[in-house]
Amino acid sequence: MQLRHLTLLAAAKAVAAQAPTLAEVLAAQSETLSSLTTWVQSQQAVYSLLAGAEDITILAPSNKAFEELANSPLASQLTSDPNFLTAFLSYHVLNGTYYASNLTSSPQLVLPTLLDLANYENVTGPQKVISRVSDGGVSFLSGGGSLSTVQTANVNYTGGTIHVIDSVLNLPANVTNTLLAANLTATLGAVRQAGVEDVLNTTPDLTVFVPTNDAFAAIGNLVSGLTAEQLGGILGYHVIPGKVVYSSDIADGSVATLEGSNLNIRVQDGNVFVNSAKVIAADILIANGVAHVIDGVLNPDNASAQPNPTASTASPAFSGASSTDGVPFTSGIAVPPAATASATSSGSSPVSTEPVAGGQGKVAAIGAAALFGAGAVALMNQL
Ligand SMILES: *[C@@H]1O[C@H](CO)[C@@H](O)[C@H](O)[C@H]1NC(C)=O
Ligand SMILES: *[C@@H]1O[C@H](CO)[C@@H](O)[C@H](O)[C@H]1NC(C)=O
Ligand SMILES: *[C@@H]1O[C@H](CO)[C@@H](O)[C@H](O)[C@H]1NC(C)=O
Ligand SMILES: *[C@@H]1O[C@H](CO)[C@@H](O)[C@H](O)[C@H]1NC(C)=O
Ligand SMILES: *[C@@H]1O[C@H](CO)[C@@H](O)[C@H](O)[C@H]1NC(C)=O
Ligand SMILES: *[C@@H]1O[C@H](CO)[C@@H](O)[C@H](O)[C@H]1NC(C)=O
Ligand SMILES: *[C@@H]1O[C@H](CO)[C@@H](O)[C@H](O)[C@H]1NC(C)=O
């Protein structure tokens, strides 16, 4: 009896030793996490939430990750704006305990964070981060295409687990700032010329296909002949309203757009094609959904355009298209150095993310009926 009692006591002690509190684990990891600890403790509400929360995963940027921010616009915003700091920290916490083994079991997972504040995101439910597996390790994709890699996984504590990451997560920005940071200026210029910038920035739950500057240049001879209405129609054909479709949810099928006509999605050999255009950078998280960069401008009057998987870039989906000097729609759009710096602050370029993990683990085809929400109707009226 007494022996059993002692054994239980020892077991209880062993459990306690394996699961320190948040305060204990942060103190023990101060060589790596003292910067994060200082930021978190500067926001009493955030600290209390984290210390009391159960079943969470903290994506903890290392001291070096914070050092890299020094003197950046992001660092000054964190210092000067407590609400932004709260949003930023909340975005670094996953709702659920995701050990490394949970994350390596799928090539890509879309994970809910604790960021659910209307001023900082416009997706139904909380804002997301995406985990990706490469070379057996785990990375997290955040706003604008930033990739943060796990350095130390499974630092367990009473409320869940902590993964130390090598760069901070980027809070997904609005469409305007995302396009500027990625130098996708032709799309931004076209959006402005068609008068749909505000609506694209504020309508919740969008999936946006964004043509590269080269894609617009390839139809350069045609764009000057377009009315604002025609341009609005073409741009509306690039937007799936009311549904945030991450690459892991993309499958073959026909999907309704804001413009009204359908797009044809095909997954071939791990590449995703939208009509004839290829997705060349997937899952650029934006405040109100997700963007995927494509190598051609989509033509609502040419839904039957077929992909050519062996071509290095799609041939234009507009008959009679040819390129002109310069990139259309870009005059007067300056990429601010600040925006570029913040998009690349974690060292990854938005238009060079990893190959699209298309088609894998796909659950169901995208149903057209599910795609129209209240926001879409408002947007439709303006397009
Ligand atoms: C975590 O998700 C659950 C289920 O969606 C939700 O009820 C809960 O409020 C979330 N927790 C936090 C801390 O946001
Ligand atoms: C993690 O994996 C374990 C074991 O398969 C499972 O029981 C648990 O539900 C998973 N956790 C999450 C958050 O998916
Ligand atoms: C979300 O949309 C509202 C308008 O519906 C807008 O005021 C707000 O700025 C948007 N938030 C973000 C982060 O873009
Ligand atoms: C944390 O817990 C998980 C799940 O029980 C386990 O796989 C992992 O090894 C633990 N981490 C450490 C450092 O012990
Ligand atoms: C986009 O977001 C930035 C930063 O929050 C903000 O200053 C800007 O006004 C927003 N742009 C639009 C068009 O909503
Ligand atoms: C942005 O794109 C334009 C046109 O495609 C190109 O000339 C310019 O060098 C790019 N700027 C940056 C900062 O990449
Ligand atoms: C449709 O796109 C194809 C290229 O995929 C192009 O050859 C054809 O001319 C286009 N048709 C129209 C009507 O624009």
Side-chain angles (χ1 to χ4, degrees):
M1 196 61 166
Q2 207 170 27
L3 183 64
R4 182 169 175 270
H5 182 76
L6 283 175
T7 312
L8 283 178
L9 202 65
K13 271 192 177 157
V15 167
Q18 276 166 13
T21 64
L22 181 63
E24 286 164 352
V25 88
L26 290 177
Q29 302 280 330
S30 66
E31 256 178 51
T32 325
L33 299 181
S34 60
S35 297
L36 176 68
T37 306
T38 305
W39 284 112
V40 168
Q41 287 178 342
S42 76
Q43 289 301 97
Q44 195 50 48
V46 174
Y47 185 69
S48 306
L49 173 74
L50 293 187
E54 296 205 335
D55 201 15
I56 61 175
T57 302
I58 301 177
L59 306 180
S62 66
N63 288 348
K64 192 155 175 293
F66 280 105
E67 270 167 35
E68 280 166 13
L69 290 186
N71 305 319
S72 70
L74 177 58
S76 58
Q77 200 177 1
L78 290 173
T79 311
S80 64
D81 184 347
N83 291 332
F84 179 79
L85 175 57
T86 299
F88 174 86
L89 293 172
S90 311
Y91 188 54
H92 284 76
V93 185
L94 305 178
N95 185 347
T97 307
Y98 295 92
Y99 298 109
S101 56
N102 293 98
L103 301 170
T104 51
S105 63
S106 300
Q108 167 159 328
L109 291 170
V110 178
L111 302 163
T113 69
L114 296 195
L115 174 61
D116 202 354
L117 298 164
N119 284 340
Y120 295 96
E121 50 84 36
N122 273 324
V123 290
T124 297
Q127 186 53 281
K128 312 297 190 295
V129 300
I130 294 178
S131 65
R132 282 188 176 171
V133 179
S134 54
D135 300 330
V138 177
S139 296
F140 293 99
L141 193 56
S142 60
S146 279
L147 208 54
S148 305
T149 300
V150 173
Q151 289 182 320
T152 308
N154 293 345
V155 181
N156 300 335
Y157 77 104
T158 47
T161 195
I162 298 174
H163 305 307
V164 179
I165 52 177
D166 67 348
S167 62
V168 302
L169 303 176
N170 256 356
L171 218 53
N174 59 22
V175 170
T176 295
N177 278 5
T178 302
L179 294 180
L180 278 173
N183 198 24
L184 293 161
T185 43
T187 298
L188 180 57
V191 161
R192 284 186 177 160
Q193 189 160 319
V196 295
E197 183 178 8
D198 283 349
V199 89
L200 276 179
N201 275 320
T202 57
T203 305
D205 295 334
L206 297 183
T207 302
V208 186
F209 294 103
V210 181
T212 59
N213 285 357
D214 286 349
F216 274 102
I219 61 163
N221 65 321
L222 301 178
V223 298
S224 61
L226 296 173
T227 64
E229 197 185 344
Q230 286 169 326
L231 186 57
I234 290 171
L235 293 169
Y237 190 53
H238 289 71
V239 179
I240 303 173
K243 176 125 177 149
V244 184
V245 188
Y246 303 98
S247 66
S248 40
D249 299 324
I250 285 181
D252 286 15
S254 181
V255 61
T257 67
L258 208 47
E259 183 267 346
S261 330
N262 283 17
L263 291 170
N264 293 309
I265 312 268
R266 297 178 186 81
V267 182
Q268 273 175 257
D269 301 330
N271 286 313
V272 175
F273 293 91
V274 186
N275 293 348
S276 57
K278 183 158 109 180
V279 174
I280 57 166
D283 298 319
I284 310 242
L285 300 179
I286 54 179
N288 54 341
V290 69
H292 307 292
V293 180
I294 53 177
D295 68 355
V297 181
L298 304 169
N299 181 356
D301 297 325
N302 197 359
S304 60
Q306 298 284 324
N308 177 359
T310 57
S312 58
T313 41
S315 46
F318 294 79
S319 67
S322 63
S323 59
T324 47
D325 281 348
V327 180
F329 303 119
T330 54
S331 71
I333 298 188
V335 176
T340 311
S342 107
T344 55
S345 65
S346 52
S348 71
S349 162
V351 281
S352 66
T353 44
E354 309 203 343
V356 185
Q360 309 198 45
K362 170 63 204 137
V363 194
I366 304 155
L371 297 173
F372 288 93
V377 175
L379 187 48
M380 282 285 247
N381 291 337
Q382 298 199 42
L383 278 175

